[in-house]
Structure formats: C-alpha cells, structure tokens
Amino acid sequence: MSIPNRREILGTLGTLAAAGGWIGLTAEESAAQAPATPTPGGPKEYKLPPLPYPPDALEPHIDAQTMTLHHGKHHAAYVKGLNEAIAKLEAARQGGAGSSGLDSIREWTDSLAFNGSGHTLHTVFWENMKKGGGGEPKGAIGKQIAGDFGSFANFQAHFSTTAKKVQGSGWGIVAWEPLSGRLIVLGAEKHQNLTMFGCVPLLVLDVWEHAYYLKYQNNRGGYVDAFWNVINWDNVDSRLAAAMKLTA
Ligand code: MN
C-alpha cells in the first residue's frame, strides 16, 4: 500500500472541503470554488473560500455581524496578505543577489507565515462549525479523544482552558500529531507562534478579539463555552481520517 505524502493529504483535505456535503454546495458551485489548498499544477493564487452556511446560522452562539465581518474582512485580508507575500518573494528572487530585493526577504517571509497560517486556520474554523452542532463526538474522533485524553470531559476542560488562556490574539487547536499518532492541544499566539510542525489542525477556535468582541466584549470565556454548541463533529472526524494517513 502506498502511503500518501503530505501534499496528497493536504490536497485531499482541500478536495473534501470543496466537495463535502457538509458545506452545502452543489457540484457546480464546488467546481467554481478554488480549493483552499492549491493542488499540484493547479491555481497558484489563494482564494477566500465561501462560508459553508449563512452568517446567522450559528446564532445565538456566534452572531451574524461578527461572522460577516470576520469572514468577509478579516479572513479576506489574510488571503490578500498571503498572495501579496508570495508575489513579493517572487519579485525579491528575481531581483537577484546584491539587489535591494533580497533585503525584503525577512519581511515577506514573516508575512508568509502570519497570513498563510491565518488563511489555513480560518478555512478549518468555518468548516468546524454548523447550525445545530455540538454534543459529544461519536465514531473515530470520539474514540481517539477518549483514548488520548481519558474522557471527553477531560479533553473539553483541557481545550477550553487552553483557548481561554492564550495570551493576546491566537487559537485553541486540536491537532493530529503524526510522529506518535495522537491528538494534541496547542494554544497558538497570533496564527503561527507556539505551534508544533508536522501537526494537522483538526478542530480550531479563533480567540482573537475580532472573533467575539461584538457579542461577548471582554468575556472570552463565555465565547469559548458557547463554541461547544456549534462544533461540527462530522467535519472533525473527516479531518482525522485524512490526517491519520499522513506520515511525518
Ligand atoms: Mn479570525
């Protein structure tokens, strides 16, 4: 049996996102949307994926105005920034050694990490939620959580506390760790700091203030607690199945 490489797995995740029934797109609509992760030989430009549900679908837990701004302004800005970073690095390379172009490499490499991680995490985040979600996970993801954390309650407390305690802007992240084959919880700052390379995000929670301040103001804890009511565990389970085929 051939073992898929990382590019194939990420391509699969993108294909799942584009073709999966959970995002409610017809085949024609799916074909019109660029996958979140470009496939080899495919389009090089990153595109803002559509929200997989109307902006008010997650009410009352996450309000429509927040969703509209978060997706249409904030996520869109990361996509724009990522495309810009790629273009600027290309220009810097073409400037050649000794040109002023290479002096900008550090700046645009920083931008690549920030905006690229932001784009990836938001793309996962939208699909991790649905109207009428929540509850306890079943199937493979439920078993994996119970095995790796002892119980769903242990996992829930670990993840919620991590998300609530992120310093400043960041994310709570449940990721598949392929070296040992287990789930881990990360608390990322900004989008790209305090992460572990090789891990595949399965379930993510944005705790930047733009994700909750209109409705929850300074009560990040209330927002984190409400997140448990909108999780799309079928999406997390699909991501786990794809990620488990990955080798480090
Ligand atoms: Mn955000």
Side-chain angles (χ1 to χ4, degrees):
M1 185 183 84
S2 68
I3 298 173
N5 64 27
R6 170 168 299 271
R7 180 176 283 250
E8 286 167 343
I9 290 291
L10 291 175
T12 299
L13 292 172
T15 303
L16 284 171
W22 66 76
I23 63 173
L25 295 179
T26 66
E28 280 185 0
E29 285 170 331
S30 293
Q33 303 293 345
T37 305
T39 50
K44 297 289 189 184
E45 188 177 350
Y46 298 90
K47 299 270 175 63
L48 179 68
L51 266 186
Y53 34 70
D56 65 353
L58 306 178
E59 296 265 15
H61 308 292
I62 303 179
D63 61 287
Q65 187 182 17
T66 294
M67 290 297 290
T68 299
L69 292 169
H70 195 175
H71 174 263
K73 301 296 183 185
H74 294 276
H75 187 177
Y78 300 130
V79 174
K80 184 167 182 266
L82 175 55
N83 283 318
E84 182 183 26
I86 293 287
K88 295 289 188 181
L89 287 166
E90 168 83 24
R93 286 194 300 274
Q94 293 191 352
S99 77
S100 60
L102 289 177
D103 292 339
S104 68
I105 287 277
R106 162 69 193 274
E107 173 189 354
W108 293 112
T109 301
D110 286 0
S111 178
L112 177 67
F114 175 82
N115 288 293
S117 299
H119 177 40
T120 298
L121 290 171
H122 283 91
T123 300
V124 174
F125 182 48
W126 310 132
E127 295 177 4
N128 279 163
M129 300 184 287
K130 70 172 184 180
K131 185 181 185 69
E136 292 198 18
K138 309 277 191 275
I141 185 66
K143 286 182 185 155
Q144 193 71 40
I145 285 173
D148 288 343
F149 296 92
S151 69
F152 179 70
N154 285 353
F155 159 75
Q156 195 171 31
H158 184 160
F159 183 80
S160 279
T161 304
T162 301
K164 290 174 185 177
K165 288 182 178 291
V166 167
Q167 288 193 334
S169 300
W171 296 78
I173 298 172
V174 181
W176 175 251
E177 195 286 283
L179 283 172
S180 64
R182 80 178 76 196
L183 299 174
I184 59 169
V185 175
L186 298 165
E189 291 180 6
K190 296 197 284 186
H191 306 301
Q192 76 280 26
N193 295 343
L194 298 182
T195 60
M196 179 174 170
F197 288 117
C199 295
V200 181
L202 306 178
L203 173 67
V204 301
L205 174 57
D206 190 334
V207 293
W208 283 56
E209 287 185 348
H210 68 226
Y212 62 87
Y213 219 83
L214 285 177
K215 181 178 176 67
Y216 293 90
Q217 288 83 49
N218 60 321
N219 181 19
R220 183 195 285 184
Y223 160 74
V224 171
D225 292 341
F227 176 64
W228 296 99
N229 296 308
V230 295
I231 295 175
N232 181 349
W233 284 112
D234 289 339
N235 178 256
V236 184
D237 194 53
S238 297
R239 290 180 179 280
L240 175 66
M244 286 178 84
K245 296 174 186 167
L246 184 67
T247 54

